[in-house]
Amino acid sequence: MAALTWTGLARERPGPPAGTDLTDPGFWRRPPAARTAAFARLRALDSPVYFPERAGGAFGAGPGFHALVRHADVVAASRTPEVFISGPGVTTPRPPRWVRIAFGDSMVNLDDPRHANLRSVVSRAFTPRVVLKAAEDMRRTVTSIVDDVAARRSGDFVERVAGALPFAVICDMMGIPGDLRGRILGHIDGATEGTGVAGRGLRLPGASLRALAGLHRVVARVARQRRRVPADDLVSALVTTNVDGRRLNSRELGAFFSLLLVAGVETTRNAIAHGLWLLTEHPAQRELLLADLDRRLPGFVEEVIRFGCPIVQFRRTVARDHVLGGYPLRAGEDVVLCYAAANRDEAVFADPDAFDITRSPNPHVGFGGGGPHFCLGTSLARQEMVLVFRELLTRLPEIRSVGEPELVASTFDNRVARLAFTC
């Protein structure tokens, strides 16, 4: 496919080759290997493919988008935020304006200077005391979770380990009382219920909005308590931190809390679940890891993130006419940063479809492609994965998954619903 000219772009937008239509709900129900092969076919083309969006499609009705599937293009777009902006919305479907007014803007949907200002407030809240307490709480939680696994010997790994750990870590860090955690977990399930690919594509039903409102009410309640009696937790820090006269208001605090719970919990849960499955499916890599656990655990974590890629894609809008890798883009058009495709780019990763815990360097884009929106929770996710797999493989070296994982067909995240285990 020849690179398009500025004139040609307006009249010709080549469609996707057969079997590579990202807007087809059926594409996301295909086995992971089939989707990986389709991404490879898209990378082999001379230029990004334009995908029109339609009602009933996997992304819903919309303006259409150019799919960035090469590593270099995803990184370049991520690191050029003045051109590839997030303000119109990075998820699909984009939140309506009234939703953003009612619930506040998440950091992922902000551009500088608002994004930099909000991120600065949040970063300052991670004081040494908050970070130290979080690390101590995390170690206790990991020990407790593995105690439970050792006692039960089998069950659903997502419920017992992969989901339990990040949820407890975030709640401990935020200072959420134990009696509110069951309610919060229900709200998280409700908020993510509409993010899979259903018969009519990707939806954000009213139930998800009600769940989101519930999350905001819980954090507002905790925030009121912490303003009166601060503690060594993140909510206390967020409601008292003053950066150039700036504190988080109630809507910003609710939006950040929702981001932590929905994004932080879901993505780390998926990564941990994929980690056990990949170790089971690749026994040679498992033996390699067990032979030198402490030295090879960091490489294992990075390769799980690359191979499993918890977040599949995010969206950006082109702010001004721009040429990306020789391909012209018009102001107002959308691009989709396909992290799952970029993480298998043959131009960057030798034997990209192999799971290799010794891969070095490993410049995956599983946490984003760099730039101002690089994942704020990267260090936390890595720490959780290192701690839980060190504890599991030290105490229960025979732990493994049983059968295939139950995957959720989703254009947004590589979600594992259930994964049976035994040890």
Side-chain angles (χ1 to χ4, degrees):
M1 185 189 301
L4 299 177
T5 63
W6 285 106
T7 302
L9 184 63
R11 66 171 186 267
E12 180 187 1
R13 284 174 164 164
T20 65
D21 185 1
L22 305 186
T23 67
D24 178 6
F27 177 89
W28 302 99
R29 300 190 188 98
R30 296 167 67 186
R35 297 198 302 268
T36 295
F39 282 134
R41 293 182 63 195
L42 290 174
R43 283 194 305 272
L45 301 176
D46 292 337
S47 60
V49 172
Y50 172 78
F51 290 87
E53 293 174 296
R54 64 192 185 282
F59 289 79
F65 59 87
H66 303 271
L68 305 186
V69 293
R70 296 176 183 171
H71 188 277
D73 290 342
V74 169
V75 170
S78 300
R79 298 181 180 182
T80 318
E82 67 278 11
V83 175
F84 297 92
I85 61 175
S86 302
V90 302
T91 56
T92 303
R94 285 173 168 158
R97 180 173 174 78
W98 72 265
V99 170
R100 297 177 69 167
I101 292 173
F103 294 104
D105 273 318
S106 173
M107 282 198 295
V108 297
N109 291 324
L110 294 178
D111 297 300
D112 289 342
R114 287 184 65 201
H115 175 265
N117 182 275
L118 184 57
R119 189 160 176 141
S120 176
V121 175
V122 170
S123 298
R124 297 282 187 91
F126 284 89
T127 63
R129 291 178 65 182
V130 168
V131 172
L132 178 61
K133 183 178 182 299
E136 293 171 348
D137 289 342
M138 193 186 305
R139 284 190 287 270
R140 283 195 296 270
T141 299
V142 166
T143 300
S144 175
I145 285 173
V146 178
D147 285 345
D148 178 71
V149 171
R152 294 175 182 271
R153 313 303 294 185
S154 64
D156 177 11
F157 188 74
V158 174
E159 178 186 2
R160 297 294 173 194
V161 181
L165 175 59
F167 178 71
V169 167
I170 294 297
C171 286
D172 287 343
M173 183 180 296
M174 297 291 288
I176 304 300
D179 61 337
L180 294 179
R181 296 191 182 190
R183 187 184 311 173
I184 288 174
L185 189 58
H187 290 322
I188 293 175
D189 291 340
T192 58
E193 184 180 10
T195 60
V197 174
R200 296 183 179 178
L202 192 66
R203 303 191 302 272
L204 183 63
S208 295
L209 293 180
R210 289 193 295 273
L212 186 61
L215 286 176
H216 280 236
R217 286 194 297 270
V218 171
V219 74
R221 174 177 168 180
V222 175
R224 287 193 297 270
Q225 294 170 345
R226 294 299 184 271
R227 287 189 181 99
R228 293 193 299 268
V229 184
D232 290 335
D233 57 47
L234 192 54
V235 169
S236 298
L238 287 170
V239 298
T240 59
T241 295
N242 189 319
V243 179
D244 298 327
R246 176 85 160 81
R247 292 186 179 89
L248 293 191
N249 60 39
S250 297
R251 285 192 306 164
E252 289 171 333
L253 185 62
F256 176 66
F257 182 56
S258 301
L259 178 64
L260 270 180
L261 284 172
V262 177
V265 171
E266 290 290 308
T267 55
T268 307
R269 180 184 77 168
N270 294 336
I272 293 172
H274 279 283
L276 182 65
W277 181 38
L278 288 169
L279 282 181
T280 305
E281 292 294 299
H282 300 85
Q285 293 295 304
R286 180 194 189 92
E287 293 304 315
L288 195 62
L289 177 60
L290 288 172
D292 197 347
L293 189 59
D294 283 338
R295 186 169 69 88
R296 291 191 173 125
L297 262 176
F300 161 73
V301 168
E302 297 307 311
E303 183 68 347
V304 169
I305 298 297
R306 183 194 74 87
F307 199 93
C309 200
I311 295 296
V312 173
Q313 55 80 24
F314 264 136
R315 198 174 186 115
R316 297 287 188 270
T317 300
V318 182
R320 60 172 183 263
D321 291 353
H322 183 74
V323 177
L324 178 68
Y327 184 74
L329 297 165
R330 288 288 192 186
E333 293 185 321
D334 282 1
V335 298
V336 163
L337 281 59
C338 297
Y339 304 121
N343 276 345
R344 302 294 184 96
D345 193 335
E346 306 84 350
V348 176
F349 304 100
D351 197 6
D353 295 333
F355 178 67
D356 179 6
I357 68 172
T358 68
R359 189 181 297 277
S360 181
N362 191 348
H364 65 77
V365 292
F367 293 117
H373 284 281
F374 188 75
C375 179
L376 189 64
T378 297
S379 296
L380 183 66
R382 284 172 168 148
Q383 187 177 8
E384 289 179 61
M385 292 185 69
V386 165
L387 285 176
V388 75
F389 278 103
R390 178 186 290 126
E391 189 80 1
L392 284 169
L393 295 174
T394 299
R395 295 175 54 185
L396 304 166
E398 296 304 314
I399 188 169
R400 62 193 67 246
S401 60
V402 178
E404 294 291 314
E406 183 180 327
L407 301 176
V408 177
S410 172
T411 64
F412 179 67
D413 62 352
N414 198 5
R415 193 184 318 166
V416 181
R418 273 174 286 278
L419 179 67
F421 79 92
T422 187
C423 55

